[in-house]
Amino acid sequence: MNGCDDTVGGRAAPRNPVSIERHPRYGRNVTSRPVRAGRIPVTRLTPALPDPRWNPKAFSGEVVPFRATVFREGHDLVGAMLVLTSPSGVKQRHRMTAGAAGTDRWEAKVRLDELGTWRWRVTGFGDEVGTWVHDAEVKIDAGVDVELMYEIGARLAERAAKEAGRPAAVRKRLKAYAAALRETEAAASARRALLEDPVLEEFRARPLARLTTDSEEHEILVERRRAGVGSWYEFFPRSEGARRLKKDGSWKSGTFRTAQRRLDGVAAMGFDVVYLPPIHPIGFAFRKGPNNTLTPGPFDPGSPWAIGAATGGHDAIHPDLGTLADFRAFVRRAAALGIEIALDLALQASPDHPWVTEHPEWFTTLPDGTIAYAENPPKKYQDIYPVNFDDDFEGLVVEVTRIVRHWMKQGVRIFRVDNPHTKPLAFWERLIGDINATDPDVVFLAEAFTRPAMMHALAMVGFQQSYSYFTWRNTKAELEEFLTSVSQETADFMRPNLFVNTPDILTEYLQFGGPAAFTVRATIAATAGATWGVYSGFELFESVARPGAEEAIDNEKYEYKPRDFAKAEADGRSLGLYLGILNRIRADHPALGQLRNIRFYYSDDDSVLVYSKHLEGRFIEGHGPDDHDTILVVANVDPHSVRETTVHLDLPAIDLPEGGTFEVEDLVTGDRWEWGEHNYVRLDAFTQPVHILRVIRGAE
């Protein structure tokens, strides 16, 4: 395939016929249906979405596997070439490699860095040189048609030497190669060795082929790296610096200025995104009290998700938190620490929201004249009115776009969207599409714990990230199935953010698993996915649930919850140092910044999870082609026991020789061991339930 044009073997690659042909047959005109298969069929191209109305996507720096099925009739060999065009118009060509024998699947992995829409196609071709080498090896070794095979090879080399697209030095070598093939006086071993001559490598980049077929052109959107890679930390700014006044028991709320002090601790743990629940005025009507009760006291602050009061709605800041200038200062301080601020976008209103009187058409009025409040049976949210999109869709698009752009002007480029599955899909496609058309760096995270069809559709229409069911996947079998699904089956369009807990979710695993459960969950989230997150209090092992609910007692959604992180650290009751180690390991090892590269291995114990994250050196800046980055994670997912078992690795899968030995280093303890295909491990849930191992290559 030549330099910068669309050719295979120096000739223009023919396109597939698509028009209807009319021609005489048996004395009458016959109409032929268009032939779509092509001479060398190219089918089942990925990355692709379940619905072709939307395009797949990747994030900057992601290594994307491009695949296609390419085959032909008979026994002659075929090849496949990936042709990529970057958003700036630069063309790349990558020879695809064959997959498992008999599958006819071909693959080329490419790191995509440039932001924007890439165009790509696959060219299938008859591999004439490959076919000749295969046939010649068989026949010459058998003493059949020896001179004929050498002559066929010589003519192929001469034909390639005439192609103007090949460099002059290569054309000269090909002519010499043709002459050598015809040298009948040469030793038989010398001529036979020509079938492995390095000059044949020329045909990898520029194949020789008369028969070619191009697939249709496809697109893939590459978004900024934060759309796919990040470490999130959630906290309520009103709790940071909050204090109870002794005189009357009332509370002094934390502010953006007091919350700034927490940013230093978050940065020290290595988190690069801070997510804030709604920061807007909170309604008073039907305000909830502690633990979601209907009887609030005079000093209860209410749920931040009950948005709107006389002081404003979604474009306002709660007066207790400070001013817009205070918020901008908070954002600037975060940026100075390398942290982005993610803001909650919750499209709902308290009964006191200005929308209720200004736009009653945005809500559902019941036959008795009341406005319907939110419900998720058996949960009731009397303090929240859901928005009805059916009576003024355009008006809501305009208003929400205005709100989003308002916060963008304050420095926010990430929005965590609350319950997007309760709003029309078309609304999100329109909103995100309009925002990203002018500001492609803005990221939207879908907080949708719902049916797969809706979760997948939200990702397809534009959401860059998605909450997932990781929180409830705890056993080895559950985790293998879940992580395989999100890294392979849906990775072309859906990026999971592996939150370990939320204000609404405190799983039984964390309630009863003790510190080991927190350690294991954090480790798997931080190493198995490219994006993960924790909600404040996780590092303090907060595990007491409200009776009958899967959420923490004295839930911060309904009250202030100041925490003494420094004292917990001093008393040895904090996981903060370990979370910092996890994020440092993520920063040091680019293999952990990929989604699609996880691979699972067998262990003899059903409670010991084993997987690798492997990235080839050719995809890592500053690394040589053999300087790979490989992390092995071995986790005891039973937080109540000691497990001793043997783990079994597939060494070629991580570019190590089969049957060989190598050294690993535990990145938490610094211990080193010699490993091979089969390795004994002992994981004590009460001391060290997890190994995070670096594979050491070469002398260190």
Side-chain angles (χ1 to χ4, degrees):
M1 200 169 273
N2 294 347
C4 295
D5 57 21
D6 291 330
T7 62
V8 174
R11 298 176 300 102
R15 302 288 174 173
N16 299 338
V18 295
S19 60
I20 295 178
E21 298 180 1
R22 301 180 185 277
H23 52 84
R25 183 183 297 171
Y26 306 120
R28 58 193 177 98
N29 286 333
V30 177
T31 300
S32 297
R33 295 179 59 83
V35 176
R36 297 186 177 92
R39 186 60 183 82
I40 306 294
V42 180
T43 66
R44 294 183 56 213
L45 280 74
T46 61
L49 268 61
D51 192 313
R53 286 177 291 178
W54 299 287
N55 290 326
K57 54 192 175 186
F59 55 83
S60 178
E62 184 172 12
V63 176
V64 178
F66 292 85
R67 300 186 178 103
T69 297
V70 182
F71 57 96
R72 66 170 296 179
E73 80 292 343
H75 300 288
D76 285 1
L77 302 184
V78 298
M81 187 72 72
L82 170 67
V83 183
L84 275 166
T85 304
S86 73
S88 61
V90 177
K91 270 198 171 65
Q92 301 179 15
R93 288 172 176 77
H94 301 270
R95 182 72 178 263
M96 305 178 81
T97 57
T103 65
D104 294 314
R105 291 294 281 172
W106 296 77
E107 178 185 81
K109 292 180 180 177
V110 183
R111 172 174 164 150
L112 302 180
D113 289 306
E114 186 178 337
L115 303 184
T117 299
W118 291 64
R119 293 178 288 112
W120 65 280
R121 58 180 168 82
V122 171
T123 299
F125 56 89
D127 187 354
E128 296 183 69
V129 173
T131 298
W132 167 71
V133 170
H134 173 269
D135 292 349
E137 287 176 340
V138 173
K139 289 188 174 184
I140 291 172
D141 290 348
V144 176
D145 297 335
V146 173
E147 292 304 324
L148 176 61
M149 297 312 299
Y150 284 130
E151 179 60 25
I152 291 173
R155 293 188 181 192
L156 290 173
E158 286 178 335
R159 198 176 100 209
K162 294 177 181 178
E163 294 178 342
R166 299 183 190 275
V170 170
R171 294 164 65 188
K172 183 177 180 180
R173 289 178 60 202
L174 288 170
K175 290 178 182 178
Y177 181 70
L181 288 172
R182 291 188 175 117
E183 185 55 66
T184 57
E185 299 300 322
S189 59
R191 294 183 78 192
R192 174 61 175 79
L194 292 172
L195 300 183
E196 300 174 5
D197 193 283
V199 74
L200 296 175
E201 284 298 308
E202 160 66 13
F203 296 105
R204 283 198 53 78
R206 285 176 284 267
L208 187 68
R210 284 196 174 98
L211 303 178
T212 65
T213 299
D214 283 343
S215 72
E216 292 184 352
E217 193 164 64
H218 299 261
E219 294 182 346
I220 182 170
L221 174 65
V222 176
E223 299 172 303
R224 71 175 176 120
R225 188 159 181 80
R226 182 65 68 235
V229 183
S231 300
W232 289 50
Y233 187 89
E234 175 184 0
F235 73 81
F236 287 64
R238 73 183 185 186
S239 290
E240 299 300 327
R243 54 190 175 88
R244 187 185 289 273
L245 304 180
K246 295 181 179 179
K247 184 176 181 180
D248 58 3
S250 64
W251 280 88
K252 173 70 173 176
S253 172
T255 67
F256 285 121
R257 294 196 176 275
T258 61
Q260 277 193 40
R261 295 194 288 269
R262 181 60 188 147
L263 292 174
D264 291 277
V266 174
M269 290 188 290
F271 291 97
D272 44 39
V273 177
V274 162
Y275 154 52
L276 304 181
I279 58 175
H280 317 300
I282 299 172
F284 289 91
F286 302 104
R287 176 173 286 192
K288 295 297 185 68
N291 292 307
N292 200 27
T293 63
L294 299 175
T295 54
F299 307 127
D300 290 327
S303 168
W305 282 272
I307 298 170
T311 50
H314 286 71
D315 55 357
I317 286 177
H318 196 297
D320 289 353
L321 294 176
T323 66
L324 196 60
D326 294 330
F327 176 73
R328 287 196 292 263
F330 179 85
V331 174
R332 288 195 299 272
R333 176 56 184 160
L337 294 169
I339 295 172
E340 289 194 59
I341 297 300
L343 200 61
D344 199 286
L345 179 63
L347 300 187
Q348 56 204 35
S350 86
D352 300 329
H353 197 294
W355 284 351
V356 176
T357 55
E358 296 172 5
H359 292 281
E361 70 277 11
W362 291 353
F363 304 94
T364 299
T365 302
L366 299 174
D368 62 1
T370 62
I371 295 178
Y373 58 77
E375 293 185 80
N376 184 16
K379 294 182 179 180
K380 294 185 177 183
Y381 305 95
Q382 296 91 336
D383 55 340
I384 293 173
Y385 288 164
V387 173
N388 184 329
F389 288 79
D390 295 333
D391 295 329
D392 186 17
F393 185 90
E394 288 298 323
L396 281 163
V397 168
V398 171
E399 173 66 354
V400 178
T401 300
R402 180 189 69 81
I403 290 167
V404 171
R405 292 199 179 278
H406 166 73
W407 293 111
M408 288 166 57
K409 290 178 182 177
Q410 316 312 317
V412 176
R413 312 304 284 184
I414 306 176
F415 293 89
R416 179 268 196 188
V417 179
D418 190 67
N419 288 329
H421 56 290
T422 62
K423 287 81 178 172
L425 193 67
F427 174 81
W428 296 119
E429 182 176 21
R430 173 81 173 275
L431 175 74
I432 297 173
D434 288 351
I435 295 295
N436 285 159
T438 57
D439 297 84
D441 63 319
V442 176
V443 173
F444 292 86
L445 165 63
E447 186 260 350
F449 298 105
T450 185
R451 303 179 308 280
M454 174 59 87
M455 294 174 70
H456 294 170
L458 289 166
M460 286 191 283
V461 302
F463 277 94
Q464 283 81 10
Q465 293 183 20
S466 307
Y467 277 50
S468 72
Y469 284 103
F470 169 75
T471 321
W472 293 278
R473 302 298 184 257
N474 300 306
T475 68
K476 173 183 174 179
E478 290 171 347
L479 286 163
E480 286 183 348
E481 179 183 29
F482 169 80
L483 293 169
T484 297
S485 174
V486 298
S487 65
Q488 306 299 322
E489 298 168 14
T490 60
D492 289 345
F493 58 94
M494 183 176 177
R495 305 185 189 109
N497 191 324
L498 304 185
F499 261 85
V500 291
N501 68 326
T502 78
D504 291 309
I505 303 172
L506 180 66
T507 62
E508 290 186 0
Y509 188 87
L510 295 179
Q511 291 178 36
F512 304 110
F518 285 76
T519 302
V520 169
R521 295 303 292 176
T523 302
I524 296 173
T527 59
T531 299
W532 77 299
V534 305
Y535 156 56
S536 182
F538 180 88
E539 66 268 51
L540 304 185
F541 308 111
E542 292 180 0
S543 59
V544 180
R546 179 164 60 87
E550 198 180 45
E551 61 182 37
I553 198 167
D554 303 326
N555 196 302
E556 194 173 2
K557 286 172 59 176
Y558 308 105
E559 56 189 88
Y560 301 103
K561 199 163 189 174
R563 299 174 173 93
D564 193 337
F565 296 99
K567 187 175 187 307
E569 191 79 50
D571 293 344
R573 296 182 292 103
S574 172
L575 198 63
L577 179 61
Y578 185 76
L579 299 184
I581 291 173
L582 287 178
N583 281 325
R584 188 199 71 226
I585 292 172
R586 284 170 54 87
D588 291 345
H589 292 276
L592 299 179
Q594 299 287 324
L595 172 62
R596 307 170 194 251
N597 63 336
I598 193 168
R599 184 182 180 95
F600 294 94
Y601 305 94
Y602 182 75
S603 73
D604 294 341
D605 191 316
D606 286 341
S607 290
V608 175
L609 177 72
V610 188
Y611 58 87
S612 68
K613 296 295 286 291
H614 175 69
L615 187 61
E616 297 173 52
R618 63 191 173 106
F619 298 125
I620 307 172
E621 293 181 8
H623 284 228
D626 298 321
D627 187 12
H628 312 308
D629 182 37
T630 308
I631 298 295
L632 295 169
V633 178
V634 187
N636 174 9
V637 297
D638 177 0
H640 306 288
S641 70
V642 177
R643 297 283 173 164
E644 296 184 63
T645 189
T646 301
V647 301
H648 309 275
L649 303 177
D650 177 2
L651 298 188
I654 52 176
D655 287 309
L656 289 170
E658 188 172 6
T661 60
F662 55 97
E663 194 173 11
V664 296
E665 177 189 14
D666 189 306
L667 292 174
V668 177
T669 66
D671 293 330
R672 291 193 178 197
W673 301 281
E674 184 179 273
W675 271 35
E677 289 182 326
H678 312 289
N679 310 280
Y680 165 82
V681 295
R682 183 181 189 274
L683 296 170
D684 187 338
F686 307 101
T687 57
Q688 188 182 7
V690 178
H691 286 317
I692 307 175
L693 305 174
R694 173 178 72 100
V695 173
I696 298 174
R697 299 174 187 271
E700 286 194 21

